[in-house]
Amino acid sequence: MPRITLEVSEELSQQLAQVGDRLPELLALSLQQPAIPAQVYRYILDFLASNPTPEQIAEFKPTPEMQERLRILLTRSNAGELTPTELKELDEYERIEHLVVMIKAGNLSYLTS
């Protein structure tokens, strides 16, 4: 296993000592980037936190920027040109879409009343 030597401040050294054997795990987690930009999650969470009406839920859709990014990813996917990072991004968009569909389906009874 490779060994890495770092120079850190005394304060950080003390914090790292408290982490102990979990340091490699924490470093690996800190290097992982979210599959999609944080503003996508914020957009959805802000919408849900606004206590939307059933009608607003039914009308909820991605922003134009999100729609364009998804279009690009789907085009690249169909052409077999996705990078592993883009594949993760597309998979995450699909998970979010599934969640939104489930939320909308749970509100269908309100919409038909």
Side-chain angles (χ1 to χ4, degrees):
M1 180 179 301
R3 178 179 289 272
I4 297 174
T5 303
L6 299 172
E7 291 184 27
V8 297
S9 68
E10 184 62 36
E11 179 183 340
L12 181 56
S13 175
Q14 291 172 2
Q15 291 174 344
L16 291 172
Q18 293 174 357
V19 171
D21 294 340
R22 293 192 57 219
L23 182 58
E25 174 190 356
L26 294 174
L27 283 172
L29 287 172
S30 71
L31 293 173
Q32 292 178 358
Q33 296 296 315
I36 59 178
Q39 64 260 28
V40 172
Y41 296 111
R42 179 172 298 279
Y43 172 72
I44 296 165
L45 290 174
D46 286 348
F47 172 75
L48 293 173
S50 73
N51 197 20
T53 66
E55 292 79 14
Q56 289 170 320
I57 291 171
E59 294 172 7
F60 182 75
K61 61 184 179 183
T63 66
E65 295 82 11
M66 290 178 212
Q67 291 175 12
E68 176 62 14
R69 180 61 180 156
L70 192 51
R71 185 193 64 73
I72 290 169
L73 291 171
L74 290 171
T75 299
R76 290 180 52 75
S77 177
N78 291 336
E81 299 173 347
L82 280 182
T83 66
T85 301
E86 289 171 327
L87 180 58
K88 286 180 184 178
E89 184 180 1
L90 183 58
D91 287 345
E92 187 65 11
Y93 273 115
E94 288 175 351
R95 276 191 284 280
I96 290 171
E97 178 186 23
H98 179 72
L99 175 64
V100 171
V101 167
M102 298 216 16
I103 291 169
K104 288 182 177 191
N107 283 285
L108 288 179
S109 62
Y110 297 113
L111 298 174
T112 57
S113 301

